[in-house]
């Protein structure tokens, strides 16, 4: 793979000679070439920027030097990468895609950006990708080009010493953040390595790592959990105050069914007012799912003093019941329970058979030994 970098700061790319990327170059797997945009200027001052048409702050990179250097570097089979905060977000999937290319040219913009005609022109001649590292602004695209390079080059076959670590990171905990890792010594400054990792029980280790990965993902990147629970890919998101009116309506619809199933109107969720819903939304960790803008599912959790994560108000719009959404919500609210939670507890109607079946399938057990409100039963589950 050939990687070209066009920049007004060639020194930024000194790290390419270091570390694994440098080794890949030594092995002949990749070739790095750095080009100073200013050598493609033809005025005394080597100007690469000018004021923007239409006015406004900042400077824009002039098209002529870019045109000249890109004409020189690009040909059939070239992918030109413009690093810009307004590009498509860079992620592992995109790194894997770029790793299949033979020739990447990184055009590193500075100032307010490059004259749009450079990008439009490049598109007429080959593949162009405008890529951003994330939602923040860097002074220029150089650091982004380096980051993209490191993510891409390590995916080239023959690059990593240990091919297994690549397989593991892409498959082991698909879509989840990595679990925490430990090495010797077993105790350090009063902190111990979790006993399960030293147990030699591989199944237990795997289960623990999976649970840790789910908890971390729920705490830090809830957007990655159940990213496509519904056919349009709607995620489960934290409820906001503005969800209260729809929650009230959905709750009434769901608990009328419960009232019929249990032949009783004496169910708190059925009697709550709008103000009641607004009030509990403030103190419960509540999650909702929308489809095409419509609120179709919700669930809430709250930590009790005894360490139990109290799960409740699992609601699914009547037309979507039986679609598996209730189970997804139940799995989700368990995954987002705080670290301190040691068990899960939930209540449902004595005669709510469908609910009880789902809860039992999810590992909950009926607890006749615990007290429940009149007409209800308690189910609990120990946290793994
Ligand atoms: Cl690719 N360039 C710049 N200038 N800022 C960024 C970025 C790229 N990605 C995130 N911020």
């Amino acid at each position: 793979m050939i990687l070209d970098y066009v920049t007004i700061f060639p020194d930024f790319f000194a790290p390419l000679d270091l570390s694994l990327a440098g080794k890949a170059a030594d092995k002949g797997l990749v070739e790095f070439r750095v080009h100073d945009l200013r050598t493609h200027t033809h005025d005394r001052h080597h100007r690469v920027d000018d004021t923007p048409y239409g006015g406004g702050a900042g400077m824009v990179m002039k098209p002529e030097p870019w045109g000249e250097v890109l004409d020189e570097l690009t040909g059939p089979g070239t992918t030109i990468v413009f690093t810009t905060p307004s590009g498509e977000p860079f992620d592992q999937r995109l790194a894997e895609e770029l790793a299949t290319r033979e020739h990447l040219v990184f055009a590193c913009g500075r100032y307010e950006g490059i004259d749009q005609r450079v990008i439009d022109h490049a598109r007429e001649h080959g593949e162009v990708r405008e890529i951003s590292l994330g939602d923040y602004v860097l002074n220029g695209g150089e650091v982004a080009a380096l980051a993209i390079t490191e993510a891409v080059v390590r995916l080239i076959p023959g690059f990593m010493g240990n091919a297994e670590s690549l397989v593991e990171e892409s498959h082991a905990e698909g879509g989840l953040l990595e679990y925490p890792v430990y090495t010797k010594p077993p105790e350090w400054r009063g902190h111990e390595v979790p006993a399960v990792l030293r147990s030699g029980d591989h199944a237990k280790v795997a289960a623990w790592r999976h649970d840790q990965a789910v908890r971390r993902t729920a705490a830090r990147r809830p957007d990655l959990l159940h990213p496509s629970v519904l056919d349009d890919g709607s995620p489960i998101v934290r409820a906001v105050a503005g969800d209260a009116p729809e929650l009230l309506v959905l709750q009434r619809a769901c608990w009328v069914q419960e009232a019929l199933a249990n032949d009783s109107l004496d169910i708190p969720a059925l009697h709550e007012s709008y103000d009641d819903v607004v009030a509990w939304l403030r103190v419960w960790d509540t999650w909702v799912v929308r489809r095409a803008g419509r609120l179709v599912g919700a669930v809430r959790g709250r930590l009790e003093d005894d360490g139990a994560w109290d799960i409740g108000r699992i609601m699914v719009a009547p037309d979507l019941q039986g679609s598996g959404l209730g189970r997804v919500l139940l799995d989700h609210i368990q995954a987002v329970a705080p670290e301190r939670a040691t068990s899960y507890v939930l209540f449902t109607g004595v005669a709510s058979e469908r609910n009880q079946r789902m809860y039992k399938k999810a590992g909950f057990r009926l607890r006749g030994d615990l007290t429940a409100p009149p007409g209800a039963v308690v189910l609990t589950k120990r946290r793994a």
Side-chain angles (χ1 to χ4, degrees):
M1 180 190 278
I2 293 174
L3 298 104
D4 283 298
Y5 304 86
V6 184
T7 173
I8 55 168
F9 291 113
D11 292 346
F12 255 105
F13 294 90
L16 288 177
D17 296 332
L18 303 173
S19 147
L20 283 174
K23 286 207 191 97
D26 292 343
K27 280 195 214 169
L29 290 171
V30 294
E31 184 183 347
F32 300 120
R33 308 188 301 200
V34 181
H35 311 271
D36 187 345
L37 183 70
R38 281 194 208 277
T39 63
H40 295 271
T41 55
H42 302 286
D43 63 310
R44 262 197 313 137
H45 303 288
H46 301 291
R47 279 192 73 170
V48 293
D49 62 331
D50 210 332
T51 53
Y53 275 115
M59 300 292 269
V60 175
M61 295 192 98
K62 295 161 60 63
E64 301 93 331
W66 283 107
E68 196 176 295
V69 69
L70 293 179
D71 283 348
E72 208 167 277
L73 295 178
T74 64
T78 302
T79 296
I80 306 176
V81 175
F82 289 92
T83 50
T84 163
S86 50
E88 64 180 310
F90 186 63
D91 59 11
Q92 192 62 23
R93 189 196 48 76
L94 186 46
E96 283 164 15
E97 193 184 338
L98 294 178
T100 67
R101 304 297 194 265
E102 287 297 320
H103 182 198
L104 300 176
V105 174
F106 288 92
C108 304
R110 285 257 148 190
Y111 314 113
E112 297 305 303
I114 302 172
D115 188 302
Q116 181 62 35
R117 292 168 295 181
V118 174
I119 296 134
D120 296 340
H121 176 74
R123 258 190 241 290
E124 289 161 16
H125 295 269
E127 187 188 18
V128 169
R129 306 300 284 259
E130 294 180 80
I131 298 177
S132 164
L133 280 198
D135 294 337
Y136 44 84
V137 177
L138 305 170
N139 279 331
E142 284 78 7
V143 167
L146 280 175
I148 295 166
T149 299
E150 186 155 325
V152 168
V153 167
R154 62 192 289 283
L155 297 175
I156 296 172
F159 173 69
M160 289 275 278
N162 177 7
E164 218 167 65
S165 25
L166 277 182
V167 174
E168 211 163 86
E169 77 186 1
S170 52
H171 298 295
E173 294 294 350
L176 298 178
L177 301 182
E178 288 289 323
Y179 46 77
V181 295
Y182 300 85
T183 185
K184 289 167 271 299
E187 199 218 296
W188 180 75
R189 298 192 180 179
H191 296 267
E192 287 195 1
V193 173
V196 59
L197 296 179
R198 294 189 280 141
S199 68
D201 185 331
H202 297 301
K204 268 202 186 136
V205 168
W208 182 86
R209 285 179 166 165
H210 177 74
D211 181 63
Q212 291 289 317
V214 170
R215 287 191 200 198
R216 260 194 181 177
T217 310
R220 301 175 187 180
R221 294 292 306 279
D223 56 305
L224 294 179
L225 283 179
H226 307 300
S228 56
V229 291
L230 299 182
D231 51 13
D232 64 347
S234 347
I236 305 177
V237 297
R238 274 220 162 76
V240 295
D243 292 325
E246 288 164 285
L247 277 169
L248 175 64
V249 172
L250 184 58
Q251 176 167 301
R252 289 259 172 101
C254 290
W255 269 269
V256 163
Q257 266 175 291
E258 290 300 286
L260 292 171
N262 289 278
D263 196 20
S264 163
L265 289 175
D266 189 16
I267 307 175
L270 197 56
H271 293 265
E272 282 180 358
S273 67
Y274 175 65
D275 289 340
D276 293 329
V277 174
V278 168
W280 67 247
L281 254 183
R282 289 207 198 95
V283 292
W284 288 77
D285 189 19
T286 306
W287 296 76
V288 297
V289 176
R290 291 182 175 275
R291 180 151 96 176
R294 166 185 171 227
L295 197 146
V296 294
V299 64
R300 71 182 192 184
R302 187 171 71 174
L303 192 65
E304 305 297 344
D305 293 337
D306 61 358
W309 180 241
D310 187 351
I311 295 171
R313 301 293 160 94
I314 301 182
M315 33 186 138
V316 172
D319 57 308
L320 292 174
Q321 288 175 10
S323 72
L325 179 53
R327 177 58 196 267
V328 167
L329 290 165
L330 178 60
D331 287 348
H332 181 80
I333 199 67
Q334 294 173 79
V336 299
E339 203 73 30
R340 286 163 296 144
T342 52
S343 66
Y344 308 111
V345 61
L346 52 79
F347 300 85
T348 193
V350 172
S352 304
E353 281 172 26
R354 200 154 96 170
N355 294 351
Q356 290 187 31
R357 223 176 307 127
M358 174 173 84
Y359 299 147
K360 285 175 187 165
K361 251 194 172 158
F364 283 80
R365 274 198 228 120
L366 266 179
R367 295 292 300 271
D369 56 316
L370 301 179
T371 46
V377 292
V378 199
L379 294 97
T380 66
K381 175 179 168 182
R382 234 202 300 278
R383 193 165 201 203

